[in-house]
Amino acid sequence: YDISFQLSFLASLGIIHIKPLLDYGIIRLQRSVFPAVAESALRGFFDILSVTFAAQIITLPIIVHNFGRISLVAPITNVLVLPAIPALTILGFLVSVIGACFPAASFLAATPCFVIMLYLLKVLNIFSGPWAAAELPNISWLWPVAYYAALFAVIRFLRARLQSELSESF
C-alpha cells in the first residue's frame, strides 16, 4: 500500500531491466546521427537520459493511477537536476561531519550546498507551472495491468532480439 515503496522498487527494476535496452538503442542512434562525436563525450548525458526514461517508463502507470496526472517536463527536469544530486549528497555529508566536529566552520562548509540548492529550487520553480503536467482523472486499474503486460512483452522481445544480434556478431 506504500506508493513510495512501489515507485522506488519499480524505478530500480526499470534501471536494471530497461536502461540496458535504452543504452543499446541510444548508442546505435548516436553512432548513426553523430558518428564524428566520440561516445565518451556524450556518455554522461546519455546515461542520465537512459536512467530517467527507464525509471519513468516503468513508474508511469503507478503515478497516473494514484495521482491522476503525468508530468510533461520530467525528462527535461531530471536531465537538469540529476547531475547536481551526487554533489549535493557528498557535500551534505561533509557538512554534517564538519558541523559535528567544528560547529563554527559548518556555515562556510554549507555554502556550496546552499548554491546547489538554489539551483535545484530555480529549476523546480521554472518547471512546476500548471502547464507542466496533464490531468488524467479516473484511470481504471485495468490500464496499469495492460500497460505492464505490454511492457513485459516488449522487454522480452527486445532482449531476445538483442541477444540474437550479439550472438551473431561473435
Side-chain angles (χ1 to χ4, degrees):
Y1 297 107
D2 187 1
I3 296 170
S4 63
F5 174 76
Q6 293 172 19
L7 292 173
S8 296
F9 177 80
L10 286 171
S12 298
L13 200 64
I15 291 168
I16 292 167
H17 291 287
I18 298 174
K19 183 187 180 304
L21 299 172
L22 293 175
D23 285 341
Y24 181 74
I26 287 171
I27 289 170
R28 288 185 67 182
L29 180 67
Q30 184 261 326
R31 287 179 181 164
S32 64
V33 175
F34 304 109
V37 178
E39 266 183 50
S40 60
L42 298 172
R43 172 59 57 206
F45 173 74
F46 287 145
D47 195 49
I48 291 170
L49 210 57
S50 65
V51 166
T52 297
F53 279 112
Q56 289 178 348
I57 287 168
I58 204 161
T59 58
L60 179 68
I62 299 297
I63 292 170
V64 171
H65 181 70
N66 287 291
F67 302 111
R69 55 187 304 155
I70 181 173
S71 174
L72 303 174
V73 295
I76 297 166
T77 307
N78 285 344
V79 166
L80 293 172
V81 168
L82 202 54
I85 300 300
L88 185 62
T89 304
I90 292 167
L91 289 171
F93 173 74
L94 291 175
V95 167
S96 66
V97 170
I98 292 169
C101 298
F102 310 102
S106 64
F107 177 76
L108 290 174
T111 304
C113 290
F114 180 73
V115 171
I116 295 171
M117 286 302 298
L118 284 177
Y119 167 74
L120 294 176
L121 290 172
K122 186 66 173 174
V123 170
L124 294 174
N125 190 32
I126 290 169
F127 291 100
S128 65
W131 53 270
E135 297 289 330
L136 298 170
N138 302 326
I139 298 296
S140 168
W141 64 271
L142 292 172
W143 184 81
V145 171
Y147 181 94
Y148 284 124
L151 183 61
F152 179 73
V154 168
I155 290 170
R156 284 190 59 131
F157 171 76
L158 290 176
R159 279 195 157 185
R161 185 172 172 193
L162 179 60
Q163 284 179 341
S164 69
E165 279 185 32
L166 292 175
S167 65
E168 289 174 5
S169 65
F170 288 109

